[in-house]
């Protein structure tokens, strides 16, 4: 199978030696997205504000790959504080309301740039 890099200026560029996403066959694997604006500026705010930005970034990367959030089959969520789970879930549920993908959610000690949330997804084309 052929693998292909996915890049878009509608989401922040990678801040390390990785790509925004990779296509492999009819699957798309995104790198973890954090709440950075497309120009790379940190979006400050509570878990609601940060989650909305992360989900916008994911949608932009998936669009560049030729798919959408409606075709996500698995997400992995990293939260800085599990006490934010309820508020996070509210925003997450607005995007994944019709077809909720499988999901893992874990609390972590620290995330890049000390953000509150990071999400990676696997989607099909």
């Amino acid at each position: 199978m052929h693998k292909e890099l996915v890049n878009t200026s509608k989401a922040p560029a990678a801040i390390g030696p990785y790509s925004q996403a990779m296509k492999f066959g009819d699957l798309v694997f995104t790198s973890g997205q954090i709440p950075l604006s497309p120009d790379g500026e940190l979006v400050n705010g509570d878990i609601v504000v940060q989650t909305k930005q992360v989900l916008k970034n994911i949608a932009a990367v998936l669009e560049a790959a030729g798919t959408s959030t409606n075709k996500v089959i698995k997400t992995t969520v990293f939260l800085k504080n599990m006490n934010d789970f309820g508020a996070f879930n509210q925003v997450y549920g607005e995007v994944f309301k019709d077809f909720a993908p499988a999901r893992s959610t874990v609390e972590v000690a620290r995330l890049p740039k000390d953000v509150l949330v990071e999400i990676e997804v696997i989607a099909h084309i």
Side-chain angles (χ1 to χ4, degrees):
M1 279 196 211
H2 175 73
K3 66 180 180 177
E4 177 183 336
L5 287 171
V6 176
N7 277 309
T8 179
S9 61
K10 295 179 182 179
I15 57 175
Y18 58 90
S19 60
Q20 290 172 324
M22 290 290 294
K23 287 171 73 171
F24 186 73
D26 64 350
L27 295 176
V28 177
F29 299 83
T30 71
S31 292
Q33 293 293 311
I34 61 174
L36 298 177
S37 65
D39 63 2
E41 294 296 317
L42 181 62
V43 174
N44 289 307
D46 64 8
I47 191 67
V48 170
V49 171
Q50 289 195 12
T51 300
K52 285 180 180 181
Q53 184 62 50
V54 168
L55 292 169
K56 284 181 192 176
N57 293 344
I58 289 169
V61 171
L62 291 175
E63 181 182 331
T67 189
S68 71
T69 56
N70 291 334
K71 295 188 175 186
V72 172
I73 54 179
K74 171 73 168 85
T75 67
T76 304
V77 177
F78 305 95
L79 294 176
K80 184 174 182 179
N81 186 339
M82 198 56 81
N83 290 329
D84 287 336
F85 185 79
F88 161 80
N89 224 26
Q90 194 84 19
V91 176
Y92 180 93
E94 292 170 7
V95 172
F96 297 111
K97 60 184 170 221
D98 297 328
F99 186 74
R103 180 177 86 186
S104 300
T105 305
V106 295
E107 181 180 75
V108 295
R110 195 166 180 204
L111 289 165
K113 298 190 177 279
D114 291 318
V115 299
L116 303 177
V117 60
E118 180 174 357
I119 304 172
E120 64 184 34
V121 307
I122 302 169
H124 67 89
I125 307 237

